[in-house]
Amino acid sequence: MIHVAEKHRVLAVPAIPAVLAQFPSAKVVDFHGQSALIPHTFRDTRLLRAMGFEVPAPVLYHYDWPHPPGQPPFEAQRKTVAMLTTNQRGYVLNDKGTGKTRCGLWAFDYLKKAGLAKKLLVVAPLSTLHFTWGRSVFEMVPHLSHVVVHGDKKKRQKLLAQDHDIYIINHHGLTVVLDELVARTDIDCVLIDELTAFRTFNTTLNKAARKLVAGKPFAWGMTGSPTPESPVDAYGQCMVLTPDTVPRRFSHFRDMTMTKITQFKYVARPDAKDTVLRAMQPAVRFTLEDVTELPDVVVQPVKIGMGKKQTETYEALRKEACAQVGTGEITAANAGAVLNKMLQVSIGYVYAKEEGATERHVIALDNEERLERLIQDIGESSRKVIVFAPFTHALRGISEHLTKNKIEHASVDGSTPSAERDKVFGLFQNTDKFKAIVAHPKCMSHGVTLTAADTIIWFGPIDSHETFDQANARIRRVSQRFKQLVLLYQGSKAEETSYKRLNNKQTMQDGVLALFAQNQV
């Protein structure tokens, strides 16, 4: 039996010969029998665990858990941080919405305060560098400094040369400044977000990650969906973090998890999940249902950067609109149309009509970050997903991108015949067909039950709070067995303001003129 003296930061461990042999300087006292007093530290905890003692993680007793007011860590987050801070390698396989980002920052902060780590490198998808990781550092551990390492090679080198506690870089940025990162021995902790980006073991990216991680004392990986396509997806990820848990040859791991049907076709073995689980250790896995502190529906804003063309076009529209309000050129009758155009630019697909032309065509702007984030969020979901796009012309671009990334899906809009819609909804709800449905929300805002999905992604805001509420209700039905996650993509002030109005149940067009006049879009 282990006892923790929290005030003195020591453990009372049975004073058996094996313990005294490993801790000869331990003081023996009469406490619940003869007990040896051992410091409750990272190294001593690991040694005692190796001896078979169930020693709680020091972070659970000796950390102040910084957090914004009213947002203390969930129990699942505390247990996740406990795993990370007692293992030099580890996998966080928690569902999206359970707060994995905060766990990684708390774990590093604890290790740094304990003198076990100096600097952290976060390797994450491009779309999350500023709005997810940068903002979380500011909110959760504001006493730590950070820098986003992005740009051409020269700029990355300059940013990396700055003295910070946390460096944040995109996945492919590793290959740009790999030598510099390997040489930085003070960067002794690496956290890879969306580890599945490294699932192909023989790519340049995977090899770069392996080279980087091999020389770092701490390295962890995070993903809510470790095997999105097949069990062999785990191999490349393990080669990065825990190469000793998988065979040296990919073909051996493939044979352990897959059965060959034809010359070019393999299917998963019945015990494939168990094999993957043994390989991806140590690990922690919590679902949304495990986090009892969460409400039944988690609504999460997702900040996403706009591309250069998007930003320039948006700013031109905004400045012109604000000026025209002052001159009376924009009235209540057409202010909504101007806002609508700004929202189109924000999501990256804009209707345009050339002079003299009879039909409009769609211009696709540089919305790569938004599309990348969409693939990431769908991939991280352990169940099905509904993607709502507020403009019909955007559906095709989204669908094409999902097809390119081999995500089986269906697309539904106003032109989809009723019989075809019913077929799609039935297959989605009752079979394994379709990972996602991409739809205009007005086509799915009443009567349809789609509880096979537990995640809704709004690619951009709709103009009606009734449609917004009804569309979200497709997964909030009595047959729903899981907690639900609603993600609100937003890259502009117009989108942010629109979502606020939806949540406040205000008609989108109400007060649009005031928004322009007050420069709030």
Side-chain angles (χ1 to χ4, degrees):
M1 183 67 178
I2 299 289
H3 297 276
V4 180
E6 187 172 353
K7 180 179 179 180
H8 300 288
R9 300 197 172 201
V10 296
L11 301 167
V13 184
I16 59 177
V19 170
L20 297 178
Q22 291 293 331
F23 302 93
S25 61
K27 182 178 180 180
V28 178
V29 298
D30 186 12
F31 179 74
H32 292 275
Q34 291 291 295
S35 295
L37 299 184
I38 299 170
H40 194 190
T41 65
F42 168 80
R43 294 182 179 85
D44 292 336
T45 294
R46 284 173 58 86
L47 179 54
L48 286 167
R49 286 185 176 183
M51 296 173 65
F53 291 97
E54 295 184 4
V55 183
V59 70
L60 299 176
Y61 292 87
H62 316 306
Y63 183 50
D64 55 5
W65 302 94
H67 60 269
Q71 299 181 38
F74 306 138
E75 184 62 22
Q77 290 176 317
R78 289 169 57 86
K79 291 179 179 177
T80 298
V81 175
M83 187 281 289
L84 291 174
T85 54
T86 52
N87 291 281
Q88 291 178 275
R89 298 288 185 271
Y91 300 87
V92 177
L93 308 179
N94 299 350
D95 271 352
K96 176 169 286 296
T98 55
K100 295 193 293 291
T101 301
R102 294 184 174 194
C103 293
L105 295 176
W106 276 322
F108 170 70
D109 185 46
Y110 167 78
L111 292 177
K112 184 174 178 63
K113 288 178 177 177
L116 298 168
K118 299 174 183 176
K119 297 180 184 294
L120 169 68
L121 174 69
V122 175
V123 186
L126 182 63
S127 61
T128 68
L129 302 186
H130 290 282
F131 295 116
T132 299
W133 285 100
R135 178 167 296 192
S136 292
V137 172
F138 180 77
E139 291 177 345
M140 304 307 302
V141 285
H143 53 283
L144 299 179
S145 65
H146 77 280
V147 64
V148 173
V149 182
H150 188 247
D152 59 28
K153 183 171 183 176
K154 190 172 183 180
K155 183 177 180 181
R156 290 177 191 265
Q157 289 173 329
K158 184 177 180 180
L159 293 169
L160 193 58
Q162 297 177 8
D163 184 26
H164 290 281
D165 299 304
I166 301 173
Y167 300 87
I168 306 170
I169 193 170
N170 63 307
H171 291 149
H172 290 281
L174 289 184
T175 61
V176 180
V177 287
L178 179 61
D179 292 339
E180 290 84 351
L181 290 170
V182 171
R184 286 287 298 272
T185 56
D186 57 330
I187 299 179
D188 47 9
C189 187
V190 176
L191 193 159
I192 303 177
D193 186 17
E194 196 51 36
L195 184 62
T196 48
F198 300 83
R199 64 182 182 269
T200 306
F201 76 97
N202 56 358
T203 62
T204 301
L205 182 61
N206 185 283
K207 293 174 182 177
R210 279 189 260 168
K211 184 176 180 180
L212 171 68
V213 166
K216 304 301 182 183
F218 291 91
W220 310 310
M222 294 182 169
T223 175
S225 180
T227 54
E229 295 184 2
S230 79
V232 297
D233 289 342
Y235 185 77
Q237 299 169 71
C238 291
M239 287 297 292
V240 171
L241 285 184
T242 56
D244 292 338
T245 65
V246 291
R248 293 187 63 182
R249 294 192 177 188
F250 169 75
S251 59
H252 290 176
F253 187 77
R254 180 191 61 201
D255 293 342
M256 292 168 60
T257 57
M258 307 284 283
T259 299
K260 189 174 184 179
I261 301 300
T262 66
Q263 183 179 357
F264 301 106
K265 183 177 181 180
Y266 289 80
V267 297
R269 294 168 58 98
D271 60 348
K273 288 185 178 179
D274 294 331
T275 303
V276 169
L277 181 62
R278 288 193 296 270
M280 301 188 82
Q281 290 295 328
V284 63
R285 163 73 175 167
F286 289 104
T287 66
L288 279 174
E289 288 67 49
D290 295 324
V291 186
T292 58
E293 300 94 333
L294 284 173
D296 289 339
V297 181
V298 179
V299 180
Q300 181 176 312
V302 178
K303 297 286 187 178
I304 298 175
M306 294 195 295
K308 183 180 179 181
K309 289 182 180 179
Q310 279 181 288
T311 302
E312 291 174 349
T313 306
Y314 180 88
E315 276 299 300
L317 284 170
R318 186 188 66 80
K319 290 179 180 178
E320 182 179 358
C322 291
Q324 289 179 344
V325 167
T327 62
E329 294 177 63
I330 289 184
T331 66
N334 59 16
V338 177
L339 176 62
N340 197 51
K341 183 66 68 174
M342 295 175 73
L343 292 174
Q344 290 181 37
V345 172
S346 301
I347 70 171
Y349 300 100
V350 183
Y351 264 138
K353 185 177 180 180
E354 296 180 0
E355 188 174 350
T358 58
E359 295 183 358
R360 297 183 298 176
H361 65 282
V362 178
I363 298 176
L365 299 176
D366 48 346
N367 62 345
E368 289 82 4
E369 279 198 36
R370 193 169 295 228
L371 291 171
E372 178 187 323
R373 183 58 189 258
L374 179 65
I375 299 302
Q376 176 193 340
D377 287 335
I378 293 175
E380 278 200 345
S381 175
S382 57
R383 281 175 280 277
K384 296 190 176 190
V385 178
I386 298 173
V387 181
F388 286 128
F391 305 110
T392 301
H393 63 271
L395 295 176
R396 180 174 296 178
I398 296 170
S399 181
E400 289 175 353
H401 196 70
L402 295 188
T403 299
K404 179 182 177 181
N405 285 270
K406 300 179 181 179
I407 295 177
E408 186 184 25
H409 68 284
S411 184
V412 176
D413 61 29
S415 65
T416 307
S418 178
E420 186 176 337
R421 290 189 202 183
D422 292 344
K423 181 179 179 181
V424 167
F425 297 155
L427 290 172
F428 183 84
Q429 178 70 3
N430 303 310
T431 74
D432 292 333
K433 185 107 177 130
F434 303 131
K435 171 69 174 179
I437 289 180
V438 181
H440 192 286
K442 290 185 178 179
C443 298
M444 295 172 56
S445 60
H446 290 87
V448 181
T449 295
L450 294 173
T451 51
D454 65 352
T455 300
I456 285 176
I457 298 173
W458 285 89
F459 204 73
I462 192 69
D463 60 358
S464 163
H465 64 80
E466 179 187 4
T467 300
F468 181 72
D469 287 345
Q470 286 292 335
N472 287 333
R474 295 317 96 215
I475 66 173
R476 299 201 307 265
R477 317 289 281 182
V478 293
S479 58
Q480 180 61 265
R481 297 182 295 114
F482 305 101
K483 290 183 179 179
Q484 304 106 63
L485 180 65
V486 178
L487 302 178
L488 311 178
Y489 284 13
Q490 47 198 278
S492 68
K493 187 69 174 179
E495 289 184 304
E496 181 182 339
T497 302
S498 296
Y499 281 123
K500 287 181 179 178
R501 298 178 74 81
L502 287 171
N503 288 324
N504 292 332
K505 299 188 181 300
Q506 295 175 297
T507 301
M508 191 68 70
Q509 305 304 331
D510 289 350
V512 170
L513 276 177
L515 293 178
F516 285 119
Q518 297 167 16
N519 201 24
Q520 292 184 16
V521 291

